[in-house]
Amino acid sequence: MSSTERAALTQGAGGAEERRRAPSWVAGQLADAPGAMLLVAVALGYLALSQAVMWLDGPSPNRAGLWPAAGLSLAVLMLVPTRRWGWALGAIALGELAGDLAWNLPLGAAIGWTLSSTLEPLVGAMLLRRFGNPAGDLVPLRPLLRFLWFAVLAGPFVGATVAATSSALSGEGTFPDAWVQFFLGDALGVLAVAPMVLGTGGARGRSLQELVALVATTGLTSTAVFSTVGGPWMVTMPYLLIPFFAWAAVRFGTRGTAWTALGVTAVASGFNAAGQGPFALAAGHDIAAVTLLQVFLVVTVTFALLLAALVSELSDRRQLEDVLRHQATHDPLTGLANRLRLAEALERACASTTGSTRSTGLLVCDLDRLKAVNDRVGHKGGDELLVEVAARLRDSVRPGDLVARIGGDEFVIMLRDVDAAAARRAARRVVDAVSHPVLLEHRRAVRPSISVGAAVAEPGEGADRLFQVADAALYEAKRRGRGQVVLADHALRTQARAQIRTEDDLATAFEDGQLVCYYQPVIDLTTGRLAGVEATVRWRHPELGLLDAERFLTAVESVGWADRLFATVIKQSLQAQREWLEATGRRLSVSVNVSSVQLSAGGVLNAVIQALAESGAPADALCLEVTKNTSLDDLSVASLNQLHALGVRLVLDGFGAGWSSMTRLARIPWDCLKIDRSFVSDLGTDPGAADIVNAMTAMAGALDIRVGAEGVARISQLEALVDLGCAVAQGPLFSRPETADEVGRLLAEDREWLCGDLRPVSDGLQAMTDH
């Protein structure tokens, strides 16, 4: 299993990997203990284990079937930092030497065995740290194989060689017999004790009753196996223990296997030392009996540990697959289904829709004003709100319905087996459930609201079509205000079908150049001549004719092509500007509208730089108009400031309306403020409108910013604007948007759009009539 997979498993499964590797209480105490305390604790532990074995098997370690102190020694070195190995090795040497001398063993042999006892764990620990298992892991399979190779084979091999040499030189036994006994006893001690100290779990979730049953049945079976009950068939009795080792391995992991091994070995060693049991019966003398017992136990415990590691690895992989599958189909914040799972479920549900009155329903829900909540309580508070809303949505629908989160503030609920009335009732329950106040961190109260668009699938209607119909209903609900419910009717379905067709045709429109720019003249009210143009986009649809931008802008945004449309408009506009320059010698300023989504995404800056480079136009020949409905975040403001630094002129469109115009004035270096058409329309008829416009122009004058106006349709409006100090104006009084060729013709004529009395000249009026 790779490190990436392990990381996913740890995060997604609630720390399963950490639980498996969590050290036991003893391990934690050893790892954190001061040096002197470590010395005393390890020495006493080593001495206690070695004396128990010496007492059970006799004063000569050559006859010990199990040397648990070897497992303790290795585990201690694996747990403590290398800088403290001196304390641990000193404790091991102290415990070994004290135990040997307590039994009046020869000093030379005791010194040799002490050297063996310190050298063996040192070799095993160094090799494990050097070759990829620095913590002494026993799961999964690959770390266990390294543990077996270095800790169970290499370390005891070195230790047995030194100990057997000491035994032979001191007359405590022959080298071959002593080496085999030392090697197998130490290997078995590492297998039985080290896993208990190093702490690899596996018993989590197992009942106490099962643990008691394992201990009791294994103890009874071990006693029956190793006690002499007579008969040659006794030599086959040890194989009865194999199922219990497998039980421990599968159900309780490597630690359970180690405890089982220690218990079985203790029982077997006791009976074997008394000359009883199948190994004493088969061997005929004590050394051979010990050797046979050791071989059996080493092989059995090794295979049990391998089984435990393999089961753990398979379990981890299955758990990892479950985690990854859950992550692929669920939202990480709320735990709801995500877009992928919703799409799969909705496809299946729509495919099974029949002509009955009850069908699959879809509620597309949008949390109102989430950005305002984030601004007030921060994104952490916003996440808290989303989690609470998700819980309320789950509680407000039936168990068989599916709730999904498919965007930042957008939720979708798939209703099974409903009609239109049931779908409407479900939508109303959702709105009511969400509308209760939510108490966030630090006791900040928020009263959320949610808008819902509902639709019920018709026979043969696919998942995509149903979603688009419900989305159209949501758009209508949000248009009506906060917390509204709209159920899609025939008119909305017709609108949705038109929207779908528009989206399908858009790709062809971009590729075939069907999207073209029209330009509305902007008149300088001081000179009466053309000061610039504002670019607007039209769609020359092959079947529907010339479409205004309002007919397809929503579709452009829904398919994510707003940046592509902006790049098309600015490229065409600067190209037309260059053609006008080549034909007339005059460079006409061009204004292009831009949205906050494009500004915050960074696409505008790149598109402007590329278009200016291709056209060769100076940056100040381009104006970007930010509309009144554009909410400017920090990224948008940064983009506008960068564009202004390039020399691009900035126009605040719809000044006086929309969100926080004063804030906009303070944060962005505007070149022109364009008065909103709602104020212009009342000029000449409402004295209050003139007062408002006068205040705007005075404010702009104080800030040294030009003032423009849009939507000028009557002469009385024009006269009022001139009197109030407006610099430029546009509207149907002068001209509606024209093609690039027509603007070139107007520019070549160098027409005067205003007479001396500030009235539009006859050509201008005729243009208005013609268009």
Side-chain angles (χ1 to χ4, degrees):
M1 187 181 298
S2 68
S3 59
T4 302
E5 291 173 329
R6 289 193 179 285
L9 177 61
T10 300
Q11 296 173 2
E17 176 76 0
E18 293 177 1
R19 292 197 300 267
R20 196 198 66 210
R21 293 173 54 114
S24 64
W25 180 85
V26 175
Q29 297 302 310
L30 287 174
D32 298 333
M37 186 178 297
L38 177 66
L39 176 69
V40 174
V42 174
L44 290 176
Y46 189 99
L47 183 61
L49 289 175
S50 61
Q51 290 306 293
V53 172
M54 296 281 279
W55 176 81
L56 182 66
D57 290 324
S60 174
N62 295 355
R63 298 179 62 244
L66 166 72
W67 194 248
L72 176 64
S73 303
L74 176 76
V76 169
L77 291 188
M78 297 308 301
L79 288 172
V80 302
T82 53
R83 67 178 182 277
R84 303 176 64 197
W85 277 8
W87 290 101
L89 292 172
I92 294 168
L94 183 62
E96 175 68 32
L97 187 60
D100 293 342
L101 296 179
W103 284 90
N104 295 318
L105 295 174
L107 180 61
I111 293 174
W113 293 335
T114 300
L115 178 61
S116 167
S117 298
T118 54
L119 190 60
E120 176 183 310
L122 180 62
V123 170
M126 290 180 63
L127 290 175
L128 284 173
R129 295 206 173 196
R130 172 65 179 82
F131 292 103
N133 191 1
D137 290 337
L138 296 162
V139 287
L141 196 57
R142 184 173 296 177
L144 175 62
L145 292 175
R146 293 193 181 101
F147 182 86
L148 294 175
W149 180 252
F150 297 125
V152 180
L153 295 179
F157 179 90
V158 173
T161 301
V162 175
T165 301
S166 299
S167 296
L169 293 176
S170 61
E172 290 295 313
T174 63
F175 180 88
D177 287 342
W179 190 92
V180 170
Q181 295 298 309
F182 274 112
F183 175 77
L184 293 175
D186 287 3
L188 189 56
V190 172
L191 287 170
V193 176
M196 292 187 294
V197 181
L198 291 175
T200 52
R204 181 174 292 271
R206 309 303 180 219
S207 65
L208 179 61
Q209 292 84 351
E210 184 179 8
L211 178 61
V212 172
L214 173 65
V215 172
T217 53
T218 304
L220 292 174
T221 304
S222 300
T223 302
V225 166
F226 292 107
S227 60
T228 300
V229 295
W233 53 271
M234 279 290 297
V235 296
T236 63
M237 290 289 288
Y239 295 106
L240 294 177
L241 295 170
I242 294 177
F244 298 101
F245 276 103
W247 183 3
V250 172
R251 300 294 292 175
F252 297 95
T254 52
R255 182 179 291 169
T257 303
W259 277 107
T260 303
L262 185 62
V264 170
T265 303
V267 172
S269 297
F271 281 106
N272 207 53
Q276 298 185 38
F279 296 102
L281 178 67
H285 62 91
D286 57 351
I287 296 297
V290 170
T291 302
L292 287 176
L293 174 63
Q294 289 174 319
V295 170
F296 171 77
L297 290 174
V298 166
V299 172
T300 303
V301 175
T302 298
F303 276 105
L305 288 174
L306 289 170
L307 176 61
L310 182 60
V311 169
S312 176
E313 184 163 8
L314 292 175
S315 176
D316 281 356
R317 284 202 172 274
R318 184 173 62 252
Q319 191 174 10
L320 173 63
E321 291 172 358
D322 293 342
V323 168
L324 294 178
R325 189 179 301 111
H326 185 274
Q327 290 177 346
T329 57
H330 288 77
D331 173 56
L333 176 64
T334 63
L336 297 178
N338 62 8
R339 185 184 295 272
L340 175 62
R341 186 180 175 200
L342 173 68
E344 293 174 349
L346 194 57
E347 286 285 355
R348 291 193 300 268
C350 289
S352 61
T353 298
T354 63
S356 64
T357 57
R358 302 183 72 83
S359 181
T360 300
L362 199 67
L363 308 182
V364 180
C365 315
D366 192 86
L367 194 61
D368 299 320
R369 302 181 70 248
L370 178 61
K371 184 180 184 303
V373 174
N374 286 334
D375 292 341
R376 176 186 167 193
V377 301
H379 286 281
K380 183 179 179 181
D383 287 346
E384 288 183 57
L385 177 62
L386 288 170
V387 171
E388 176 61 24
V389 168
R392 294 182 181 186
L393 293 178
R394 275 193 298 260
D395 294 340
S396 65
V397 298
R398 300 167 300 177
D401 298 329
L402 179 65
V403 183
R405 179 182 177 223
I406 63 172
D409 56 359
E410 191 170 5
F411 299 86
V412 176
I413 302 174
M414 189 185 78
L415 305 172
R416 304 179 189 276
D417 194 27
V418 295
D419 56 17
R424 187 189 297 276
R425 288 194 299 269
R428 179 48 58 187
R429 284 198 306 271
V430 166
V431 171
D432 293 341
V434 172
S435 63
H436 299 293
V438 178
L439 193 62
L440 303 178
E441 190 180 28
H442 306 305
R443 303 189 64 81
R444 290 174 294 185
V446 173
R447 183 180 290 274
S449 67
I450 197 167
S451 301
V452 181
V456 178
E458 296 180 344
E461 190 169 48
D464 290 341
R465 179 67 60 85
L466 176 62
F467 189 92
Q468 287 166 328
V469 171
D471 200 48
L474 173 64
Y475 181 83
E476 176 62 21
K478 293 188 75 68
R479 190 188 66 80
R480 296 180 184 179
R482 300 173 58 188
Q484 299 296 312
V485 171
V486 171
L487 178 67
D489 55 12
H490 177 72
L492 274 175
R493 287 185 175 277
T494 302
Q495 177 184 334
R497 284 194 292 270
Q499 179 80 359
I500 294 169
R501 178 183 177 184
T502 300
E503 292 176 2
D504 292 341
D505 291 346
L506 269 175
T508 303
F510 277 105
E511 293 169 3
D512 293 352
Q514 297 173 9
L515 299 174
V516 296
C517 287
Y518 275 56
Y519 306 91
Q520 183 171 41
V522 177
I523 309 304
D524 188 324
L525 299 185
T526 302
T527 65
R529 283 182 164 76
L530 196 61
V533 291
E534 179 183 352
T536 59
V537 65
R538 301 286 188 270
W539 184 356
R540 288 176 178 165
H541 197 284
E543 298 177 11
L544 303 178
L546 190 65
L547 304 180
D548 289 337
E550 289 75 11
R551 297 277 299 276
F552 59 88
L553 277 182
T554 302
V556 170
E557 293 172 354
S558 66
V559 297
W561 284 349
D563 283 346
R564 187 176 181 183
L565 180 62
F566 176 80
T568 299
V569 171
I570 196 170
K571 183 177 180 180
Q572 285 191 27
S573 299
L574 292 179
Q575 181 178 351
Q577 185 188 68
R578 183 174 59 187
E579 293 173 355
W580 298 332
L581 175 64
E582 293 172 352
T584 66
R586 289 184 58 191
R587 187 183 297 278
L588 200 60
S589 174
V590 177
S591 297
V592 177
N593 291 292
V594 65
S595 72
S596 63
V597 175
Q598 296 165 306
L599 288 169
S600 60
V604 171
L605 181 63
N606 295 331
V608 167
I609 292 175
Q610 182 177 352
L612 289 174
E614 291 177 355
S615 66
D620 61 0
L622 174 66
C623 297
L624 292 183
E625 294 198 9
V626 183
T627 61
K628 64 182 179 183
N629 295 322
T630 299
S631 178
L632 298 177
D633 56 17
D634 291 340
L635 292 175
S636 300
V637 171
S639 295
L640 287 173
N641 279 286
Q642 288 177 299
L643 288 163
H644 192 268
L646 289 176
V648 175
R649 289 185 290 172
L650 304 179
V651 178
L652 176 56
D653 193 7
F655 178 56
W659 75 278
S660 188
S661 293
M662 291 299 297
T663 302
R664 297 179 180 208
L665 289 177
R667 300 179 67 189
I668 299 170
W670 302 107
D671 295 286
C672 181
L673 304 181
K674 186 183 290 187
I675 298 171
D676 187 70
R677 65 178 64 241
S678 62
F679 299 108
V680 173
S681 65
D682 293 334
L683 288 176
T685 59
D686 182 2
D691 293 336
I692 295 174
V693 174
N694 184 45
M696 294 180 188
T697 55
M699 181 189 304
L703 296 173
D704 196 24
I705 302 176
R706 297 178 71 203
V707 176
E710 61 182 347
V712 181
R714 300 191 306 271
I715 293 177
S716 60
Q717 296 170 352
L718 175 63
E719 292 173 341
L721 289 170
V722 172
D723 291 340
L724 293 170
C726 187
V728 292
Q730 65 189 86
L733 181 64
F734 302 107
S735 174
R736 296 188 183 276
E738 300 282 2
T739 64
D741 291 340
E742 180 63 19
V743 171
R745 184 183 66 80
L746 295 174
L747 189 62
E749 293 176 358
D750 193 20
R751 170 188 298 181
E752 285 192 27
W753 295 80
L754 299 176
C755 298
D757 58 358
L758 300 182
R759 295 177 178 273
V761 297
S762 57
D763 289 344
L765 293 175
Q766 184 62 44
M768 179 184 71
T769 303
D770 293 341
H771 296 285

